[in-house]
Amino acid sequence: MKKSWFDPRLYREGLRQLRVIGVLSLVLMTLAAVLAPVGQAIQIAADQEIAAAAGRNISIENLTLLGSHPLLLLGFPVLAPAMSLYLFHFLDRREACDFYHALPQTRGCLYRSFAAALLTWLVGVLLASTLVNMGVCALLGRYLALVYSSVPVLLFNLTAASVLVAAGTVLAMSLTGTVFTNIVSALLILFVPRIFMQAVSSFLGSAMPYVSESHLFPLLDYSWNLVSGLPLSYLLGTYRDVVYGWHGGLYTLALGAVYLVLGGLFFRRRKSEAAGQAALSRGLQLAFRLAAALTICLIPMGMIFEALVTGGGLSRLGGSWFFSLLVAYLIAAIVYFLYELISTRKLRNLARAVPGLGILAVLNLVLVLGMFGVYRYTSAQQPAAEEISYVTLPSEGNVWVSYGSGSGGQEVEDYFGARLEEVRLDSPETRQLISQRLSQTIAYYREDSGQSIREMLEGSQAWSRLVRIQAGHKTLYRYVYLTEADRQLLARELQNKAEAAAVYQDLPAEDLRETWIHSSDRLTDAAAGRVYQSLRQEAAAMDFMDWYSLVEGGNPDLENTVVGYLTLITYWQNRGLGTDLPISTQMPETFRIYMEEQKEAQRQDVAALAESLEKGSGMLTSLYAAGYEDGHFAFYGNRDFIFDPYTEEEETLEAEPVQTEQEAVDQEASTDMPDEPAERKASREAGEALAQLLAARWEAPVTGETDFLNLELTYFDDGEYYNLDFYVAVGREDIPPALQEILMLLEA
Amino acid sequence: MIQVRGLTKKFEDFTALNQISCTIPHGCVYGMVGSNGAGKSTFLRLVAGVYRPDAGQVEMDGEPVFENPAVKAQIAYVPDDLFFLGGASMDRMARLYEAAYPDFNRNRYQYLTENFGLDPRKPVHNFSKGMKRQAAIVLALSAHPRYLFFDETFDGLDPVMRNLVKALICEDVLERQATAIITSHSLRELEDLCDQLALLHQGGLVLESDVQRLKTSLFKVQVAFRQDYNETLFAGIELLHYSKRGSVANLIVRGQQEETVAKISALQPVLLDVLPLTLEEVFTYQMEALGYYFDPSGYGFVEGKEGKHEEKLV
């Protein structure tokens, strides 16, 4: 019998041993993979039915794999540790450990064969349930659409996270010999390094608010490690950044592979007699003790670091600071000894553990001084303009886009922000500006001059913006304060960059696989798609600055031409991006199509309104009018009619009590009390005028060249309120005088 | 052939085995006895390749055992603490053995299972202590091993089963020239089974001999003299034990019987009888010399003070 690297028979034995837990997991995960989309489809079908009855449209739901199969998230926190602890539990029992070590295979072969069986079950369960989920989503295509591009990245990332947890657990089991120490050391292995990185990053970040914590040391960012990053990102609301990036999955998988290799090394070196012992050796036991205590020491270390950064001497700190420090270190020492006591259950070991406190103290000192060194070095990084090669503007976070009259929406990364990340701004003006603003921002935080940042920058407004500064071989991510003038300078340079222009003017085509268009009002998705086709063409042909201003704002004259929005949702480089695209009179064809679609969508509702007003059965309860002249918002007027529509006009009159003189005086003094008969009268007059207007102008096409009116109203008929929002080709002079009077039109 | 040279094993500060050396030929049943904690189980784990020696070597036919699948495939090791998969039946365990041992023989497994009267489909955890041990023996023997290592194997077995196991071991040894190492507290169990016996004490091999020679190397002498005498009279004779009641003294002597008799005869005793010792008595006196006595109530060798021991003997 030769020494073999891997034994298929032992591998099959490993699979057999995991069969119960594996099949159970598979059944549960597959059930979840079926039930989650079915449940959502039932909900969407119900919503669609309700919407259809109300004459509205609800688009199908776009779901990422995480949306359609949320239980996939259970892979790494539940399945991976459970399977690992189950399969390798023999390492904790002396007789079992002896049995496996007596088998005619090398320990390395046993480890590899069993680890392979473990990973096979894990990946198999995740993959099989995902495939089932994809199949179910395909069958339910009428109600929901699975974003297929999200499948590989999510499956890969969650599998990588599961591999890391399994590897970390197996490594911990190779190092320790009881279930308690297995679990504690697995948690230490999986989380303590990341907790340290996060704490160090946070200490440095709070000492230097101008530094982007996530970029200070690339691997310090929590998004790299999915196992610790996912829980944290859920708390911070940034899980999309973590779960949709390949980088996190790749790093996590690589770390998992390293842990697996380490686990193998320790498994081979592990003595059979270590089963039932807290750790393989005293050295390892010390390492685990130190790791547990050092985690608590992060609190006093942070206090000391903060004191060093703020300076001012010990006298400034006060007695309570020292007391808190003492208490924190006392807790750390208790944790240090408690770990020893619980894991070894021998009181005499406490005395042996005392010298390790010296190592703990040295580690504290090294870490605090290390952080202070990084602080000094980083804050001194203030490149001059000539040292800066270029500057880019990284995407700063997520936006919420809503669609379907507010009934739907999702949080996505800003489309333009994400696409502009790599555009390099390298003009001398920009480099000079960023260099100067960085120095001023650092000075603002470091020197307590008493001036506000606006005073320092001599601007009426100032806001912080993340910039990436490339200075030679160094890349700095810094938050610098910019004024409005600074922002305009950056926008002007962006305008001159072809790649930036392409981002704005070469919008992605709607393909209903990775790019979808929704309407923010009552248009169906199909209608919104037709409008978008035209918008793409006109955006491409439009003057860049005009389109840029329409999209980004900042030009009130152009903002006044916007009448509505389309919502663009797209997946680009596995990032969910989205933005609201304006419908403006500056895009004549798009505007025309948009108005036609609007008219078509509201034809029945407006006809019902006209009929209701003509017959007198309906009563307006509120009316808002916005008038557009030469394609610009020009005037507006609004009126709420305050009366109780549930009572008849006659009843109101009959119920009118006879007022005393005093009561009449009181009513006159009260501005809140409307004169209900007068309100009803105004409502009737406005309704009649509106009915007249609709009869005359409803069919007239609304174009960017004609004057038009946007009417938002609520009316009451047959015991129900109805809301409408539509456009009519009516100029100011065509509005019936009665309506003009009631609305009390004002210039915009 | 098993060759053990300078074998040492430590557990932190405790030395379980210290510089053990022995040679066990093919076709030999090697019995190992010793007090609690003497290192018998540790020795078996080392020769089975479970433990890595801290020093020294264990070789089988010139090949090291540790991390050597080719050698370990020929070993069946039945420890004192048995292991079975959670909820597993004998059939399930047989599949595990099949996966691990290339020579595992299904027919032999079925034959032995039937012979022992065990239900192969019943969960092993529902078996009695003795049945569990039988199951472990059946599984181990089904792997057709060339080396059989049994740790306290007869514990919990009824006399019928003991004999059956002994017969099976003898069968393997005789038919296939297998080598067996058996540890036990019960010298009676080993007496009729082993070719060689070894005595372990505090990690050291204090005695190793074939059973026949061992029985003749120690013997009991009853002697009486007219005059008053004490232990000093027998200077030059290796006494393991001396006790005197009235004028009659009992001597446990190590050495050549004829030579010893000649020496005592020269002292002109009025009584001189040489009595044979059972194997148990041989070991009892060997251990007594090391500060242990044999507790007949079933605790085997237990540590005791010399004074107390003498009182008991007297």
Side-chain angles (χ1 to χ4, degrees):
Chain A
M1 194 173 177
K2 284 192 299 183
K3 281 188 186 181
S4 54
W5 193 84
F6 178 83
D7 185 353
R9 292 189 304 176
L10 272 182
Y11 167 71
R12 281 197 294 274
E13 175 58 32
L15 290 178
R16 266 198 297 272
Q17 290 193 21
L18 280 174
R19 193 167 48 193
V20 173
I21 193 168
V23 169
L24 198 68
S25 311
L26 189 63
V27 169
L28 286 175
M29 293 287 276
T30 309
L31 262 179
V34 173
L35 293 180
V38 167
Q40 296 194 42
I42 290 169
Q43 181 62 46
I44 294 163
D47 289 348
Q48 282 178 348
E49 211 168 299
I50 293 165
R56 288 190 295 112
N57 163 265
I58 285 190
S59 56
I60 63 169
E61 188 91 10
N62 304 316
L63 295 172
T64 63
L65 181 63
L66 213 51
S68 68
H69 188 11
L71 250 64
L72 209 54
L73 278 173
L74 288 184
F76 74 91
V78 178
L79 296 189
M83 287 185 181
S84 310
L85 285 167
Y86 187 83
L87 188 61
F88 285 89
H89 181 52
F90 67 87
L91 292 171
D92 296 334
R93 292 166 56 204
R94 186 66 176 271
E95 77 280 7
C97 206
D98 284 356
F99 175 84
Y100 281 97
H101 287 156
L103 293 179
Q105 269 307 349
T106 59
R107 290 171 189 213
C109 176
L110 173 66
Y111 175 81
R112 283 184 287 270
S113 305
F114 269 31
L118 168 66
L119 295 183
T120 303
W121 267 114
L122 262 182
V123 176
V125 169
L126 296 179
L127 184 65
S129 65
T130 299
L131 290 175
V132 169
N133 183 258
M134 287 170 74
V136 173
C137 286
L139 289 173
L140 299 171
R142 236 185 99 188
Y143 308 104
L144 44 88
L146 180 64
V147 181
Y148 285 102
S149 65
S150 73
V151 174
V153 65
L154 276 170
L155 184 62
F156 173 75
N157 283 352
L158 293 176
T159 305
S162 300
V163 169
L164 176 58
V165 173
T169 310
V170 173
L171 171 59
M173 296 182 82
S174 298
L175 292 170
T176 58
T178 66
V179 176
F180 171 76
T181 51
N182 289 165
I183 293 170
V184 172
S185 53
L187 291 172
L188 289 174
I189 287 167
L190 290 170
F191 290 103
V192 163
R194 203 34 71 171
I195 288 173
F196 266 86
M197 289 185 196
Q198 198 57 42
V200 166
S201 173
S202 189
F203 292 152
L204 291 169
S206 62
M208 300 179 285
Y210 45 87
V211 169
S212 166
E213 279 180 38
S214 56
H215 297 97
L216 186 56
F217 297 111
L219 291 179
L220 280 188
D221 185 41
Y222 63 87
S223 69
W224 285 89
N225 185 322
L226 292 171
V227 173
S228 51
L230 268 174
L232 190 63
S233 64
Y234 263 97
L235 291 175
L236 299 173
T238 56
Y239 76 95
R240 286 171 188 280
D241 304 340
V242 176
V243 86
Y244 290 112
W246 286 98
H247 71 285
L250 286 167
Y251 172 83
T252 303
L253 189 65
L255 192 61
V258 170
Y259 282 178
L260 271 178
V261 171
L262 280 175
L265 288 176
F266 283 108
F267 187 93
R268 285 169 59 192
R269 290 173 61 88
R270 184 192 161 96
K271 294 174 176 173
S272 196
E273 59 267 32
Q277 305 289 317
L280 291 193
S281 65
R282 283 184 192 162
L284 265 175
Q285 178 72 359
L286 172 66
F288 285 126
R289 248 186 353 246
L290 286 173
L294 208 54
T295 311
I296 308 297
C297 287
L298 283 171
I299 298 163
M301 279 196 287
M303 291 169 68
I304 297 170
F305 174 67
E306 193 188 353
L308 283 173
V309 168
T310 50
L314 293 177
S315 56
R316 233 184 79 178
L317 299 169
S320 67
W321 185 90
F322 283 104
F323 180 73
S324 306
L325 192 77
L326 189 71
V327 169
Y329 272 124
L330 196 64
I331 294 170
I334 290 170
V335 168
Y336 177 84
F337 287 114
L338 209 59
Y339 181 88
E340 182 66 19
L341 194 62
I342 294 173
S343 59
T344 65
R345 295 179 201 150
K346 287 175 187 165
L347 266 174
R348 65 185 161 87
N349 284 346
L350 295 186
R352 281 185 185 172
V354 171
L357 286 176
I359 301 173
L360 190 66
V362 171
L363 285 173
N364 270 259
L365 192 66
V366 168
L367 280 165
V368 169
L369 292 178
M371 282 195 292
F372 191 62
V374 171
Y375 166 76
R376 294 287 296 268
Y377 172 76
T378 308
S379 54
Q381 285 182 319
Q382 297 177 33
E386 55 274 13
E387 291 174 312
I388 296 175
S389 316
Y390 60 85
V391 171
T392 63
L393 304 173
S395 172
E396 282 196 291
N398 297 340
V399 292
W400 175 264
V401 287
S402 59
Y403 41 82
S405 307
S407 62
Q410 64 187 79
E411 192 183 294
V412 284
E413 221 178 320
D414 178 51
Y415 174 80
F416 294 111
R419 296 292 308 270
L420 288 173
E421 275 182 340
E422 296 305 321
V423 176
R424 296 177 177 187
L425 308 177
D426 50 7
S427 70
E429 294 81 11
T430 298
R431 288 186 285 129
Q432 179 61 43
L433 171 78
I434 296 300
S435 170
Q436 186 190 349
R437 292 301 186 225
L438 175 62
S439 297
Q440 286 173 317
T441 304
I442 292 174
Y444 170 68
Y445 284 113
R446 290 192 70 180
E447 297 157 18
D448 192 8
S449 66
Q451 272 188 313
S452 74
I453 187 68
R454 282 187 289 115
E455 287 166 341
M456 279 183 78
L457 304 187
E458 296 170 351
S460 58
Q461 278 184 309
W463 59 91
S464 181
R465 176 63 165 101
L466 179 63
V467 293
R468 189 180 77 168
I469 303 164
Q470 192 65 41
H473 65 281
K474 285 182 195 161
T475 306
L476 312 177
Y477 285 83
R478 298 288 185 269
Y479 285 98
V480 294
Y481 276 106
L482 298 173
T483 64
E484 176 59 31
D486 300 341
R487 210 171 77 109
Q488 284 174 12
L489 188 147
L490 295 178
R492 277 197 298 279
E493 187 171 353
L494 215 52
Q495 177 190 354
N496 296 326
K497 299 284 176 186
E499 61 267 42
V503 166
Y504 279 96
Q505 297 194 289
D506 185 13
L507 295 169
E510 186 185 29
D511 56 10
L512 300 179
R513 287 192 310 277
E514 295 197 349
T515 301
W516 295 266
I517 299 298
H518 304 292
S519 164
S520 59
D521 44 43
R522 299 185 62 175
L523 294 193
T524 62
D525 285 349
R530 289 191 287 274
V531 177
Y532 179 67
Q533 274 184 17
S534 170
L535 184 142
R536 276 188 76 217
Q537 289 171 4
E538 288 193 297
M542 208 171 175
D543 172 64
F544 174 82
M545 274 313 276
D546 284 353
W547 177 232
Y548 178 82
S549 298
L550 276 174
V551 170
E552 300 290 351
N555 183 338
D557 188 46
L558 282 170
E559 280 173 32
N560 279 339
T561 68
V562 176
V563 292
Y565 290 91
L566 294 179
T567 300
L568 165 72
I569 305 279
T570 188
Y571 286 83
W572 177 73
Q573 295 183 352
N574 291 304
R575 294 157 77 179
L577 309 181
T579 190
D580 289 330
L581 297 168
I583 308 291
S584 158
T585 55
Q586 299 301 297
M587 308 171 101
E589 186 59 12
T590 305
F591 180 79
R592 185 187 65 74
I593 297 171
Y594 177 71
M595 285 301 166
E596 277 180 12
E597 296 289 356
Q598 282 282 353
K599 187 155 288 188
E600 204 48 45
Q602 311 218 54
R603 186 174 294 282
Q604 282 186 359
D605 290 345
V606 172
L609 165 72
E611 190 186 344
S612 169
L613 294 177
E614 273 169 24
K615 286 197 314 193
S617 61
M619 297 278 285
L620 287 171
T621 57
S622 74
L623 178 63
Y624 169 80
Y628 288 78
E629 292 173 345
D630 300 325
H632 289 74
F633 177 44
F635 61 91
Y636 68 98
N638 68 321
R639 175 71 191 267
D640 289 323
F641 304 100
I642 313 295
F643 60 91
D644 180 4
Y646 289 96
T647 58
E648 294 297 322
E649 198 166 353
E650 291 74 20
E651 286 175 28
T652 316
L653 289 170
E654 280 167 17
E656 193 77 34
V658 178
Q659 287 181 329
T660 62
E661 205 167 302
Q662 184 55 45
E663 281 170 342
V665 171
D666 288 347
Q667 187 179 338
E668 205 169 300
S670 166
T671 53
D672 294 338
M673 292 290 285
D675 180 359
E676 194 161 315
E679 291 289 309
R680 282 179 181 278
K681 186 170 175 249
S683 169
R684 290 240 174 265
E685 284 174 7
E688 283 163 17
L690 183 57
Q692 191 186 336
L693 186 72
L694 289 174
R697 303 296 299 167
W698 168 247
E699 291 298 340
V702 179
T703 65
E705 288 81 40
T706 58
D707 292 348
F708 63 91
L709 203 58
N710 172 214
L711 293 167
E712 283 180 45
L713 58 87
T714 307
Y715 75 100
F716 182 85
D717 192 4
D718 200 18
E720 283 195 57
Y721 283 99
Y722 297 92
N723 294 309
L724 282 178
D725 179 357
F726 57 93
Y727 295 86
V728 198
V730 174
R732 195 195 304 237
E733 64 281 3
D734 298 327
I735 302 172
L739 200 55
Q740 286 197 32
E741 195 180 321
I742 288 166
L743 286 170
M744 292 183 286
L745 297 177
L746 297 168
E747 292 301 317
Chain B
M1 186 171 66
I2 301 171
Q3 269 208 313
V4 177
R5 286 193 294 268
L7 192 63
T8 300
K9 181 68 186 173
K10 291 179 181 172
F11 299 107
E12 295 190 355
D13 302 332
F14 173 68
T15 304
L17 285 183
N18 190 19
Q19 293 288 321
I20 300 275
S21 296
C22 60
T23 301
I24 304 167
H26 277 307
C28 171
V29 181
Y30 191 85
M32 187 168 267
V33 289
S35 54
N36 291 333
K40 302 185 297 292
S41 298
T42 303
F43 178 82
L44 276 196
R45 287 187 180 111
L46 281 160
V47 292
V50 174
Y51 286 171
R52 182 201 298 269
D54 291 322
Q57 288 168 327
V58 180
E59 287 181 354
M60 291 185 189
D61 298 328
E63 289 284 318
V65 180
F66 190 76
E67 288 288 80
N68 190 343
V71 173
K72 286 167 85 175
Q74 301 175 46
I75 296 173
Y77 166 52
V78 182
D80 190 17
D81 288 332
L82 301 173
F83 168 75
F84 299 98
L85 293 171
S89 64
M90 276 187 74
D91 280 348
R92 171 68 186 90
M93 287 304 295
R95 292 185 75 181
L96 170 54
Y97 271 76
E98 257 181 328
Y101 291 90
D103 294 334
F104 188 85
N105 188 312
R106 268 272 163 190
N107 293 334
R108 185 169 163 85
Y109 163 70
Q110 280 164 357
Y111 167 77
L112 292 175
T113 309
E114 280 171 24
N115 255 12
F116 277 87
L118 298 168
D119 182 350
R121 284 177 294 278
K122 195 174 166 187
V124 179
H125 287 280
N126 291 346
F127 284 5
S128 69
K129 185 186 169 191
M131 286 162 79
K132 281 180 189 166
R133 196 158 286 282
Q134 290 167 37
I137 292 166
V138 166
L139 289 163
L141 292 177
S142 303
H144 264 304
R146 287 191 68 203
Y147 299 98
L148 302 156
F149 301 149
F150 294 104
D151 194 3
E152 308 289 353
T153 294
F154 302 110
D155 269 14
L157 294 184
D158 61 49
V160 178
M161 286 304 156
R162 283 175 193 219
N163 288 335
L164 180 56
V165 173
K166 281 179 187 176
L168 286 168
I169 293 171
C170 289
E171 193 181 294
D172 270 14
V173 170
L174 289 171
E175 288 180 7
R176 298 192 296 109
Q177 282 293 290
T179 306
I181 304 179
I182 302 166
T183 68
S184 177
H185 282 114
S186 170
L187 287 160
R188 285 192 204 96
E189 294 293 355
L190 299 183
E191 191 169 4
D192 57 349
L193 180 67
C194 297
D195 306 311
Q196 281 196 48
L197 273 172
L199 174 60
L200 270 181
H201 177 67
Q202 291 183 349
L205 193 61
V206 291
L207 183 77
E208 188 196 22
S209 172
D210 66 70
V211 173
Q212 214 47 47
R213 200 175 65 196
L214 200 60
K215 280 183 174 175
T216 54
S217 67
L218 247 65
F219 51 94
K220 188 175 182 177
V221 178
Q222 268 191 343
V223 63
F225 294 93
R226 285 182 204 285
Q227 73 278 18
D228 193 24
Y229 66 96
N230 61 21
E231 201 174 340
T232 55
L233 185 67
F234 307 103
I237 296 170
E238 190 180 354
L239 293 184
L240 289 188
H241 179 80
Y242 171 85
S243 62
K244 188 178 170 195
R245 183 170 292 172
S247 60
V248 179
N250 285 314
L251 315 177
I252 304 296
V253 179
R254 176 159 37 204
Q256 288 299 316
Q257 194 172 316
E258 294 78 16
E259 192 183 324
T260 306
V261 169
K263 277 184 185 173
I264 296 173
S265 298
L267 298 171
Q268 296 183 329
V270 291
L271 170 69
L272 176 59
D273 268 344
V274 177
L275 304 169
L277 290 172
T278 63
L279 193 60
E280 194 167 301
E281 283 173 312
V282 170
F283 270 86
T284 303
Y285 289 118
Q286 287 281 9
M287 291 301 284
E288 184 193 319
L290 295 165
Y292 286 78
Y293 71 92
F294 187 76
D295 184 350
S297 60
Y299 292 97
F301 292 102
V302 293
E303 201 165 6
K305 286 182 182 171
E306 208 173 334
K308 273 188 184 174
H309 174 58
E310 279 181 350
E311 268 174 37
K312 191 167 184 172
L313 282 173
V314 172

